Amino acid sequence: MTRYVAFLRAINVGGNRMVKMEVLRELFAKAGFKNITTYIQSGNVIFESASTDTAAIEAKIEKQMLKALGFEIPACVRSFKEMDAILKNNPFPGIVPDKEIQIYVAFLQTVPGANAQEILTSLQSAAETYHINGREVYILSRKTLMKTPFSNNYLEKKLGVVSTTRNLATVGKVLL
């Protein structure tokens, strides 16, 4: 069995699409996953599966969520091995997030097009720095310089792929 994390997109944000964590655990169990836990209320589900096909796992999760809840919930799934590499590949070493500066990881469901780096370079500003590595985009956000907060929707539209974003602290804590 392989241990995974499913990052579910846009649940329990701003009082919308509310799903209790015990409901998520039950739905993952009904889908055949094992040793299921959740971390905080934003749709982080840790589980085990005999499958090694993350695209198939994502599709299975999304189908189960739509059937049970009546609305689509995109899922971005990573193995614990991939999660470890994501933390080790942080392109902003030595930066300690605080109230003024944050590091986010946007988990992409698929690898974006060949022009993704060019698109991200065009988004760079004094407030935000982007770095792509495969199916992850790392964002360094300087809140004091921002006119508007970083938006996952904006990133999805620019890259043309489903994504969901977590801060670096959450990324590390799901592995504990």
Side-chain angles (χ1 to χ4, degrees), residues 5-8 33 47 53-65 73-78 108-110 135:
V5 180
F7 296 101
L8 304 179
F33 301 118
F47 63 98
D53 182 345
T54 56
I57 293 169
E58 289 167 345
K60 187 175 192 178
I61 292 167
E62 291 172 356
K63 182 179 178 182
Q64 180 71 10
M65 298 293 117
I73 300 176
C76 295
V77 173
R78 300 296 188 272
L108 310 178
Q109 203 170 54
T110 58
R135 294 185 301 151

Side-chain angles (χ1 to χ4, degrees), residues 4 46 56 85 125 150:
Y4 292 98
I46 299 104
S125 70
F150 165 78

Side-chain angles (χ1 to χ4, degrees), residues 149-161:
F150 165 78
S151 165
N152 189 75
N153 288 335
Y154 182 71
L155 185 64
E156 276 187 329
K157 287 177 186 172
K158 289 293 187 180
L159 295 180
V161 298

Side-chain angles (χ1 to χ4, degrees), residues 98-164:
D98 60 23
K99 291 179 183 178
E100 304 302 321
I101 193 164
Q102 281 295 318
I103 300 172
Y104 297 98
V105 179
F107 296 93
L108 310 178
Q109 203 170 54
T110 58
V111 175
N115 62 341
Q117 184 59 57
E118 183 179 315
I119 291 168
L120 292 174
T121 298
S122 75
L123 301 177
Q124 305 274 22
S125 70
E128 295 174 334
T129 303
Y130 295 85
H131 179 83
I132 190 164
N133 186 0
R135 294 185 301 151
E136 284 74 45
V137 175
Y138 298 83
I139 304 104
L140 179 64
S141 175
R142 298 165 193 88
K143 295 178 183 257
T144 55
L145 299 175
M146 297 183 77
K147 294 191 183 344
T148 58
F150 165 78
S151 165
N152 189 75
N153 288 335
Y154 182 71
L155 185 64
E156 276 187 329
K157 287 177 186 172
K158 289 293 187 180
L159 295 180
V161 298
V162 171
S163 73
T164 188

Side-chain angles (χ1 to χ4, degrees), residues 18-61:
M18 300 304 291
V19 183
K20 293 184 178 192
M21 295 302 101
E22 56 267 17
V23 170
L24 282 180
R25 290 188 294 272
E26 289 171 14
L27 293 174
F28 270 65
K30 285 181 183 178
F33 301 118
K34 306 291 181 203
N35 297 317
I36 303 152
T37 59
T38 54
Y39 175 72
I40 63 177
Q41 297 293 313
S42 61
N44 308 299
V45 184
I46 299 104
F47 63 98
E48 291 180 355
S49 175
S51 176
T52 57
D53 182 345
T54 56
I57 293 169
E58 289 167 345
K60 187 175 192 178
I61 292 167

